[in-house]
Amino acid sequence: MTVDEKFGQLQQLPWTWDTGPGGGETKAVEDAARKGMLGSVFSIFGAKTTNALQKIAVEESRLGIPLVFGLDVIHGMWTNFPIPLAQAASFDPEVTAADAEVSAKEARSNGVHWTFAPMMDVTHEPRWGRIAEGSGEDPYLTSAFAAAKVRGYQGEDPKGLKAKDRIAACAKHFVAYGGAEGGRDYNTVDVSESRLRNLYLPPFKAALDAGVATVMASFNTISGVPAHANPHTLTDVLKKEWGFDGLVVSDFTGVKELIAHGFAEDGADAARLSLNAGVDMEMTSTHFVENGKKLLRAGKIEQQRLDDAVYRVLQLKFQLGLFDHPYVEETDEITEPSADARKAARAAAARSMVLLKNEKSVLPLSAKASSIAVVGPFADSADLLGTWVIPASEKKFPAVKVLDAVKKAAPKAKVTYAKGVDAAGKDTGGIGEAVAAAKAADVTVVVVGEPPAISGEAAARSDISLPGAQEKLIEAVAATGKPFVVVLVNGRPLTVGDWLAQAPAVLEAWHPGIEAGHAIADVLFGTVNPGGKLPVSFPRTVGQIPIHYNHESTGRPYDPDNKYTSKYLDLPDGPQFPFGFGLSYTDFTLGEPKLSRSSVAADALRKGDTLEVSVEVRNTGERAGDEVVQLYVHDRAASLTQPVRRLRGFRRVTLEPGKHTTVRFRLGAEDLGFWTNDSHGHFTVEAGAFDLYVGTSSAATAKTGLTVS
Ligand code: GLC
């Protein structure tokens, strides 16, 4: 390979659909492929389109190296599953594995080899729009979902990437992107080494242990050093300490943005800093390929680093089997969701929903209800897929509407509809009609929330309540005195207003994806008993942020009877709804946690010893249902102050009425120890007293003591 061809492999460009093959910018992509100056193209799909471009690279360039095609298949391609935050609420990693399996089949058959997913950015910031793309505020839950999704895309066997139903995954965004100050996207992140290692890095390590093929750098700085040029995270931790031998791709113009960060002088400096720090492939901007040869000759980039980056790119292509089979069979192309895929998406959505309130047994609704009003800006809306959907899928395969699904679920009922207010909550002209519908109906379903356009990337909100006057619609329906249920369709935790006290029932449905309406109806009518739990805390007000369960105690923990403790004068303590919270249509009781032993030596733990925590869970209600048993650990005193609780075990169990089961968790060093501030990475397990809490939310009270000696 010539030096130019080597740098060519490090270039990834976007496919510009607006011009189509042979036109405008597309011609530039085709020319680069023809010259062997292109390694990858993203935002491309379709067997014909990808084969045509691949043919240029393979048959017209000097070396015939195939291109690798990437696409943001975040929670589905044609079959859109619920948003990742919703999937995390299922507390069942099989849900996200199901998404990944369906997505991989659909994407690969369309010529896509590589998805830029799973996103695994832990965050304590509900103002941040990208909270929708991750698995919430906890590193343990996020790690479980990250690993499951990687395996779902790639399969268990690293050699399996050649298969027609597998795609390479991408652990993103490396790292600490979710720590953006103020929850404002792309903003500064200043974080200690111990917080980096205990909160933000664990999901990436879990993804690596699951065999993730690629990693994407993040836009943020990490304590003053941009993640796109951070040798500590990209090389010291990722490639050396963890031994990652896959490919690191920049995020969009992340290399170029080193200039705007005030970190690089110009494009050449950005290329030098980023490539030397550990980025292997440049997405969108072209500083590597434009400056690489000059930098190499000037000794500003080592030959070994260049060859290592090229190796990582070619390795990915070999793993995907592209040298032997660069083209996709056009007859294999999946062009629409299958019935099975829809069924999986519907089940995933229902399994991800969280019942936040249910008084006077308003839920489940009776399919025999004689009249049901379905009102609200999202009652008769298909805008329920959530952020990060492929535009083609949004147009061709819109979400099932709630109104249509309710009519189908209750064929004998008189189902009426009124919009009430628009999605922005600005036009309140329809509230009267909605009130009239509610008055005339036995029960009303109020479907409110966020349009996906204000969720996801570049969608930070300073006010995270229901947009505009949507709350007024709820209050107007409440004023009728008739039974009603609020269904929330949103991509982040919301602050709820006074309407919460007035609403007998509230169902958190998130953005549920292509089968939205049916999944919501399944839960509303009790076909599915909701069993999801919150993967994020819901603040009472924006002023309370950051508020998360895994917080430190402080020297003056909240005490209602002592002014001089950590609190707000104008708010009760704690979130509106805590991490891990969710109700069911049945009831469960938990026994006392039992330990296999009440003490264990730190040395023994360090050598791999473990102990068991078990607890009995019983369905004491009248209908089958799911409960999520959760185990939290608290290290009472340590050389670094520890969170008051850390999730270290969860299990979703299904029980018939009256039945019970014993849930067992193993605890080892990784559950009881923590990373220190040592930048070389030091994990310590210290002697001392621990509290182990078992319950059905992070507010669990049942506890037992453990001594590490
Ligand atoms: C975006 C996102 C990233 C995505 C990439 C390619 O800016 O930050 O998550 O994968 O660009 O679309």
Side-chain angles (χ1 to χ4, degrees):
M1 293 175 80
T2 66
V3 169
D4 282 332
E5 286 165 334
K6 287 185 177 180
F7 279 107
Q9 283 303 308
L10 311 189
Q11 178 70 64
Q12 180 183 65
L13 291 175
W15 185 245
T16 49
W17 284 96
D18 52 344
T19 56
E25 287 168 46
T26 307
K27 190 172 178 317
V29 173
E30 292 170 339
D31 288 348
R34 188 169 289 112
K35 291 179 197 140
M37 295 304 288
L38 186 60
S40 172
V41 173
F42 74 100
S43 288
I44 187 169
F45 59 88
K48 275 193 185 349
T49 302
T50 55
N51 281 342
L53 184 57
Q54 191 69 291
K55 195 166 184 302
I56 294 172
V58 169
E59 298 181 14
E60 297 182 38
S61 75
R62 185 177 81 87
L63 295 174
I65 298 173
L67 298 168
V68 56
F69 295 127
L71 183 66
D72 289 287
V73 185
I74 308 301
H75 51 102
M77 184 164 177
W78 301 137
T79 309
N80 275 292
F81 278 70
I83 56 172
L85 186 63
Q87 295 183 23
S90 71
F91 275 67
D92 175 6
E94 283 310 305
V95 163
T96 208
D99 163 2
E101 300 268 353
V102 170
S103 299
K105 282 191 186 73
E106 292 181 356
R108 194 72 189 252
S109 77
N110 277 267
V112 175
H113 310 122
W114 178 17
T115 179
F116 303 131
M119 186 270 218
M120 52 194 76
D121 302 316
V122 175
T123 187
H124 292 157
E125 260 297 348
R127 290 173 289 186
W128 190 46
R130 303 200 78 164
I131 195 170
E133 300 174 47
S135 301
E137 71 190 46
D138 178 77
Y140 184 84
L141 184 70
T142 301
S143 299
F145 275 75
K149 198 149 207 187
V150 166
R151 293 193 183 95
Y153 285 130
Q154 299 188 167
E156 297 286 345
D157 170 8
K159 295 187 183 59
L161 279 181
K162 293 180 171 58
K164 285 182 177 176
D165 58 355
R166 295 295 179 196
I167 51 177
C170 182
K172 74 181 188 183
H173 304 82
F174 194 73
V175 64
Y177 186 19
E181 288 178 2
R184 206 171 71 237
D185 212 347
Y186 319 119
N187 203 9
T188 303
V189 175
D190 200 74
V191 62
S192 66
E193 185 73 18
S194 61
R195 177 154 295 192
L196 191 65
R197 287 180 175 271
N198 291 306
L199 188 70
Y200 295 113
L201 282 170
F204 290 90
K205 183 63 171 61
L208 258 66
D209 293 344
V212 72
T214 69
V215 169
M216 181 185 287
S218 57
F219 290 128
N220 55 286
T221 53
I222 303 167
S223 307
V225 180
H228 273 77
N230 195 310
H232 175 57
T233 48
L234 288 170
T235 296
D236 298 345
V237 176
L238 182 67
K239 294 185 176 179
K240 288 185 177 164
E241 192 179 315
W242 292 355
F244 178 63
D245 67 352
L247 170 67
V248 176
V249 64
S250 76
D251 186 354
F252 216 69
T253 50
V255 172
K256 178 181 176 185
E257 290 166 29
L258 294 174
I259 303 166
H261 271 296
F263 194 76
E265 299 283 342
D266 53 26
D269 206 21
R272 173 182 66 83
L273 289 162
S274 190
L275 193 56
N276 285 341
V279 170
D280 301 307
M281 178 179 272
E282 182 178 7
M283 180 192 284
T284 307
S285 52
T286 54
H287 299 304
F288 284 15
V289 76
E290 284 168 3
N291 300 285
K293 187 151 67 171
K294 203 168 36 202
L295 290 166
L296 188 67
R297 286 193 176 140
K300 293 183 176 178
I301 290 177
E302 297 295 325
Q303 182 72 47
Q304 185 281 332
R305 176 74 270 269
L306 169 60
D307 292 345
D308 172 55
V310 174
Y311 171 84
R312 291 167 186 262
V313 173
L314 298 180
Q315 174 186 244
L316 177 64
K317 296 179 178 182
F318 274 109
Q319 286 170 338
L320 287 161
L322 300 183
F323 284 94
D324 298 328
H325 303 286
Y327 305 109
V328 64
E329 290 297 331
E330 291 182 21
T331 51
D332 288 350
E333 189 177 45
I334 298 170
T335 56
E336 62 180 2
S338 69
D340 283 350
R342 279 185 174 272
K343 194 165 159 238
R346 177 170 176 169
R351 200 163 171 78
S352 304
M353 291 180 194
V354 183
L355 183 61
L356 295 177
K357 188 178 178 185
N358 188 27
E359 289 171 354
K360 306 181 193 117
S361 297
V362 168
L363 290 177
L365 303 179
S366 162
K368 300 190 185 66
S370 62
S371 58
I372 303 171
V374 185
V375 306
F378 296 96
D380 186 28
S381 165
D383 195 14
L384 301 170
L385 296 179
T387 185
W388 282 110
V389 290
I390 297 153
S393 70
E394 203 165 15
K395 293 192 189 79
K396 285 199 282 190
F397 309 112
V400 173
K401 297 178 177 180
V402 175
L403 179 61
D404 297 338
V406 168
K407 285 177 180 171
K408 195 162 188 309
K412 294 193 174 55
K414 177 173 180 282
V415 179
T416 58
Y417 162 69
K419 189 173 187 176
V421 297
D422 61 335
K426 292 199 168 24
D427 172 6
T428 58
I431 289 183
E433 191 189 349
V435 167
K439 281 179 178 167
D442 294 337
V443 65
T444 298
V445 178
V446 187
V447 191
V448 288
E450 295 181 310
I454 64 172
S455 172
E457 183 175 356
R461 292 180 69 203
S462 66
D463 169 359
I464 57 172
S465 60
L466 285 168
Q470 290 189 32
E471 295 190 353
K472 291 206 179 335
L473 170 65
I474 300 171
E475 285 158 4
V477 170
T480 66
K482 300 293 286 292
F484 71 100
V485 52
V486 175
V487 176
L488 297 174
V489 287
N490 46 299
R492 59 161 49 83
L494 298 175
T495 51
V496 293
D498 299 340
W499 63 264
L500 178 65
Q502 301 169 50
V506 181
L507 175 67
E508 175 53 77
W510 313 105
H511 286 136
I514 191 169
E515 286 289 311
H518 289 320
I520 288 170
D522 287 344
V523 173
L524 289 178
F525 288 95
T527 310
V528 172
N529 184 351
K533 301 285 183 178
L534 294 179
V536 280
S537 307
F538 276 44
R540 294 176 189 279
T541 69
V542 165
Q544 207 179 25
I545 296 168
I547 178 133
H548 44 93
Y549 91 91
N550 41 6
H551 63 81
E552 294 176 15
S553 166
T554 78
R556 296 195 178 188
Y558 173 79
D559 173 349
D561 303 322
N562 180 344
K563 172 177 169 57
Y564 300 95
T565 57
S566 187
K567 65 169 87 145
Y568 292 100
L569 291 177
D570 53 354
L571 273 182
D573 183 45
Q576 185 68 55
F577 297 109
F579 174 89
F581 173 80
L583 302 174
S584 168
Y585 293 152
T586 187
D587 298 304
F588 294 92
T589 56
L590 254 59
E592 286 305 309
K594 293 189 177 62
L595 267 177
S596 55
R597 47 189 157 139
S598 57
S599 70
V600 61
D603 268 349
L605 287 168
R606 289 188 202 105
K607 292 188 182 99
D609 201 356
T610 61
L611 60 123
E612 179 186 274
V613 185
S614 60
V615 63
E616 182 185 274
V617 53
R618 183 180 295 271
N619 180 346
T620 54
E622 265 92 56
R623 76 168 52 219
D626 288 12
E627 181 55 275
V628 177
V629 180
Q630 301 156 48
L631 168 65
Y632 294 88
V633 168
H634 175 223
D635 185 342
R636 285 191 203 163
S639 58
L640 282 182
T641 52
Q642 291 300 299
V644 292
R645 293 182 186 203
R646 291 193 301 138
L647 180 72
R648 296 306 302 177
F650 62 88
R651 190 86 35 75
R652 181 166 176 161
V653 296
T654 301
L655 287 171
E656 292 299 318
K659 299 294 183 195
H660 67 275
T661 187
T662 298
V663 173
R664 300 177 191 285
F665 300 107
R666 297 296 316 170
L667 281 182
E670 68 282 358
D671 304 303
L672 299 166
F674 57 89
W675 292 92
T676 68
N677 274 312
D678 179 340
S679 64
H680 297 97
H682 176 60
F683 187 83
T684 180
V685 181
E686 298 177 351
F690 288 74
D691 296 315
L692 306 181
Y693 295 90
V694 175
T696 57
S697 91
S698 57
T701 51
K703 77 175 180 181
T704 184
L706 169 70
T707 303
V708 174
S709 53

